[in-house]
Amino acid sequence: DAKTTQPPSMDCAEGRAANLPCNHSTISGNEYVYWYRQIHSQGPQYIIHGLKNNETNEMASLIITEDRKSSTLILPHATLRDTAVYYCIVRVAYRVRGSQGNLIFGKGTKLSVKP
Amino acid sequence: SQTIHQWPATLVQPVGSPLSLECTVEGTSNPNLYWYRQAAGRGLQLLFYSVGIGQISSEVPQNLSASRPQDRQFILSSKKLLLSDSGFYLCAWMREETQYFGPGTRLLVL
């Protein structure tokens, strides 16, 4: 079972920031938070990941609470092409002994960006 | 830069027929490779992963098998397809703790 909880759906107006929440209250110290998205009929696309600190790249920002029990993915200026299912995943670091490195996807949040 | 290819993109096969799906990665060496399946309306399920040539780990019992004949080639096979094998099959490779997915193969078994 997935270790994260996400709202099933969200709407966002085009050009506005999209803030996607994720709860991972049972996260352990050696688990990363990953975000992927899947546009209809395509393979999942990696967005961003983090361990403790907030992270930013060209696609998004990831805000992780100090206790690491929740996080928020921020798309600063959502476009229609950002409409997709967004998955928040926690995963133990591959370098940890016995880890396969695989990802366990839940049902994600279906983000609809509207004009 | 690294790229991952899968083919075919779409496949319709009768029940009981064999299956061979291919995944290749370019621009890297000795990657970890993964096969996932996504059934309609459901999350991704890990089927197999490989850390090197000839090394395959299976995650779920099923009538599918995987092979890694070359460093950057990962093949998913079946001798006899079942209706329940329908789904979206995704190959992924891992670099520095992050997995990157291919475009997927959509399989419909009739």
Side-chain angles (χ1 to χ4, degrees):
Chain A
D1 291 336
K3 299 181 181 179
T4 63
T5 303
Q6 299 177 252
S9 64
M10 290 182 63
D11 289 342
C12 178
E14 188 179 18
R16 303 296 294 271
N19 298 285
L20 292 94
C22 180
N23 288 321
H24 30 80
S25 58
T26 60
I27 193 170
S28 60
N30 60 4
E31 287 183 315
Y32 287 80
V33 179
Y34 281 82
W35 283 84
Y36 284 79
R37 71 181 183 184
Q38 189 171 24
I39 297 170
H40 184 62
S41 298
Q42 297 182 23
Q45 178 188 21
Y46 166 76
I47 301 173
I48 199 167
H49 76 282
L51 185 62
K52 293 188 292 186
N53 299 323
N54 298 337
E55 302 288 344
T56 295
N57 63 21
E58 64 279 4
M59 289 184 67
S61 295
L62 173 60
I63 308 298
I64 303 174
T65 57
E66 193 170 341
D67 63 7
R68 302 186 70 237
K69 292 184 177 182
S70 66
S71 60
T72 301
L73 178 75
I74 302 173
L75 307 178
H77 305 287
T79 71
L80 299 179
R81 288 178 295 181
D82 292 321
T83 293
V85 178
Y86 287 76
Y87 296 97
C88 170
I89 302 162
V90 296
R91 197 208 81 190
V92 68
Y94 178 67
R95 62 181 179 273
V96 172
R97 186 174 183 175
S99 168
Q100 308 145 351
N102 62 296
L103 300 166
I104 299 176
F105 285 71
K107 296 186 177 180
T109 296
K110 181 173 174 53
L111 175 68
S112 298
V113 181
K114 300 182 182 300
Chain B
S1 63
Q2 298 85 8
T3 55
I4 181 168
H5 304 279
Q6 287 186 246
W7 63 87
T10 305
L11 192 60
V12 180
Q13 291 286 96
V15 169
S17 63
L19 174 73
S20 181
L21 303 181
E22 189 163 345
C23 169
T24 58
V25 182
E26 295 178 358
T28 186
S29 60
N30 197 31
N32 278 19
L33 295 173
Y34 301 81
W35 277 112
Y36 290 84
R37 176 172 60 201
Q38 186 175 34
R42 303 181 67 178
L44 273 68
Q45 177 188 33
L46 178 66
L47 302 175
F48 302 95
Y49 73 97
S50 171
V51 299
I53 295 175
Q55 299 179 66
I56 308 294
S57 295
S58 174
E59 287 301 296
V60 293
Q62 58 210 321
N63 70 322
L64 299 172
S65 62
S67 61
R68 186 167 176 177
Q70 300 180 42
D71 181 45
R72 290 168 287 176
Q73 184 184 33
F74 204 21
I75 297 173
L76 184 70
S77 304
S78 174
K79 292 182 179 178
K80 289 185 178 181
L81 283 169
L82 306 173
L83 287 174
S84 58
D85 290 324
S86 292
F88 192 37
Y89 288 83
L90 290 153
C91 181
W93 69 282
M94 187 164 74
R95 178 187 70 191
E96 297 177 357
E97 299 280 359
T98 298
Q99 287 189 26
Y100 299 90
F101 287 83
T105 294
R106 194 163 299 280
L107 172 66
L108 178 61
V109 182
L110 300 175

